[in-house]
Amino acid sequence: MERFALIVERGGLAVTDRGGDLDRTLDYSAATSIVRLLPTGLLLILMGLVVLVLSDASEKPRSWGNTWFFVVLALVAGPVVVAWSLWTRAGARKPVFSLSPAGITHRWVREVLIPWREIQAIDSIDITTKMLSPVALFTSGPSQLYKYSFFYGVTVIVVSRQFYESRLFVGSAFLRGPGWKANFIPDGEVVRVALHHELVSVPRDELRRAVETRWQAFRHQKAAASVPASGALRPRPAGIAMGESPKSLPAWQAIQIAVLSLGIAACLANLAGLWQLDGQAAARDARARAAEDRRDRQTSQKRMQEEDRQRAAEDKRRQEENEAVLRRAFGR
C-alpha cells in the first residue's frame, strides 16, 4: 500500500503520521495559506503609511489623485488582510476539498461530492490564466490591466463535461469569481478540475499520490456504495487536517512580521510628531502658512461679498424711497 504523510495538528504542533489507511478522510484547508498572508497585510499598511510620511515631508499641496487613492486602498485592505489572517489562525475553517472513500468533496461556491467513479483520469499539468493586476490601477504609464499567472505541476482530476455542467458549474459569473478558470479547465468533452497544492500548503507529489491511491482503490465501487441520495450531502465524518499547521510560523515569516511591524510603528511615530525627516518641519510650516493664507483670502472674499450685499441692499432701499417721494409729488 502506498505510504504518504498525514499531517495532523496536536497541541498546535505539526506532527507527521506515516499511515496509509485509505478509509480515513483527509481534509485540505487553505487556512495556512491565509495565515501566511499576514506579512502581505502588514506590507500594505506600511506602504500606505510611507506614502503619507513622504507626502508630509513635501511642500507641495496635497491632492486626491492616484497616489491618495492608493493610500486609502492600502490602509483599508491592509487591516482587512491582517484581521482575516488572525481570524483564520484563531479557529478551524472548512477545507477546500476532502478525500474520502466516497469521493472528493469539493468546495467552490457550494459543496459538491465528486464520486471516484466519475473521475476518468488523474494528471498533473501547468496552468496559465489571466488575473487582474491591481498595480495597473496606480500607474500613469502604459501597463497591462491583466497579467498572466502560472501554476506548475497542479494535480487535476478529469470529469465529463456533463458531470461538470450538472454538478459543478455555477451560472452566476459573480459567484464564479476571477479564479474559476484556474480551477476548472474545459477540454472538449471533459473538464479538468484543479486541486492546487500551493493553496492547501502540501507538496505536489504527496497530494497527487493521495488522490491517485484512493482513485485506484475506490473507482470501481457501485453508485449505491459511493454516492449519497440526491439532495443534501450526508454528514461527512471528521477528517484529518493535511498540510502545515496554520499555527506554525516559519522563522523567515517571523522576521518579516517583526521588520514590518517596526516600520509601521516608526511611520506612526513620525506622523504623531515624535520624529521628523530632514525638511519635514519646514514643509509642515510651509503648508501651515499656505493654509493660513487660503483662510485669510477666503475670509477677505466673504467680507467683500457681505459688503457688496449690504451696499446693494442700501441702494435698493434708497431707490424705493426716491420712487415713493416721486409718487407722492406727482400724485397730487
Side-chain angles (χ1 to χ4, degrees):
M1 182 177 293
E2 292 285 346
R3 299 173 63 85
F4 49 88
L6 300 180
I7 308 299
V8 296
E9 186 180 328
R10 182 179 302 167
L13 301 176
V15 181
T16 301
D17 176 15
R18 296 286 182 178
D21 185 359
L22 299 183
D23 291 330
R24 299 179 192 236
T25 296
L26 308 184
D27 289 337
Y28 294 84
S29 172
T32 302
S33 298
I34 296 173
V35 171
R36 301 288 166 83
L37 291 176
L38 179 59
T40 302
L42 295 175
L43 178 61
L44 286 172
I45 297 173
L46 179 59
M47 291 172 63
L49 292 176
V50 166
V51 173
L52 280 179
V53 170
L54 293 178
S55 66
D56 192 49
S58 173
E59 296 184 5
K60 296 180 179 180
R62 300 181 179 181
S63 61
W64 286 94
N66 288 344
T67 300
W68 285 100
F69 178 70
F70 169 77
V71 169
V72 173
L73 183 62
L75 294 182
V76 171
V80 169
V81 173
V82 170
W84 187 29
S85 300
L86 295 177
W87 177 73
T88 301
R89 188 178 188 273
R93 301 291 171 253
K94 287 185 177 181
V96 179
F97 53 87
S98 304
L99 310 183
S100 70
I104 300 177
T105 303
H106 194 279
R107 294 172 182 84
W108 187 280
V109 181
R110 62 173 181 264
E111 181 175 313
V112 177
L113 176 66
I114 306 175
W116 295 112
R117 68 184 185 88
E118 295 288 348
I119 299 174
Q120 300 179 8
I122 309 291
D123 198 3
S124 295
I125 63 173
D126 298 333
I127 298 176
T128 303
T129 185
K130 279 186 178 181
M131 300 292 287
L132 178 65
S133 175
V135 177
L137 300 176
F138 311 105
T139 57
S140 56
S143 60
Q144 294 182 350
L145 186 59
Y146 289 89
K147 301 291 185 181
Y148 284 100
S149 296
F150 303 93
F151 307 94
Y152 300 102
V154 178
T155 299
V156 295
I157 59 174
V158 181
V159 299
S160 67
R161 182 175 284 271
Q162 187 276 333
F163 180 85
Y164 164 76
E165 293 178 349
S166 62
R167 299 296 302 276
L168 296 173
F169 182 72
V170 176
S172 171
F174 175 78
L175 292 178
R176 290 200 302 270
W180 185 269
K181 292 182 180 179
N183 289 271
F184 301 94
I185 304 99
D187 183 13
E189 294 302 316
V190 299
V191 176
R192 292 180 172 87
V193 181
L195 306 176
H196 288 269
H197 56 276
E198 293 179 348
L199 177 63
V200 296
S201 303
V202 295
R204 69 183 68 178
D205 294 336
E206 177 184 314
L207 176 58
R208 172 162 180 171
R209 185 163 55 248
V211 174
E212 198 161 17
T213 301
R214 282 160 175 74
W215 180 60
Q216 294 290 352
F218 301 119
R219 59 185 295 193
H220 299 299
Q221 283 186 347
K222 295 181 179 180
S226 59
V227 181
S230 60
L233 296 177
R234 289 198 298 260
R236 184 178 56 85
I240 299 175
M242 299 292 293
E244 298 180 52
S245 169
K247 296 185 181 298
S248 64
L249 187 64
W252 63 273
Q253 275 215 323
I255 294 174
Q256 286 181 334
I257 293 172
V259 171
L260 292 170
S261 299
L262 289 175
I264 292 173
C267 289
L268 291 175
N270 177 277
L271 295 173
L274 300 181
W275 68 278
Q276 295 179 340
L277 296 171
D278 292 339
Q280 191 170 7
R284 287 177 175 175
D285 291 339
R287 287 197 304 273
R289 289 194 298 270
E292 186 176 357
D293 291 342
R294 286 195 300 272
R295 288 194 297 270
D296 291 342
R297 287 195 299 270
Q298 291 173 355
T299 301
S300 177
Q301 290 175 355
K302 289 181 180 179
R303 185 170 59 251
M304 293 175 62
Q305 291 173 355
E306 182 63 26
E307 291 175 353
D308 290 341
R309 284 195 296 271
Q310 292 178 357
R311 191 178 298 110
E314 182 66 19
D315 292 342
K316 183 177 180 180
R317 183 184 64 79
R318 289 176 180 176
Q319 183 179 1
E320 291 176 349
E321 289 178 352
N322 292 335
E323 291 176 352
V325 170
L326 290 174
R327 283 195 299 271
R328 286 195 299 271
F330 290 99
R332 293 178 180 177

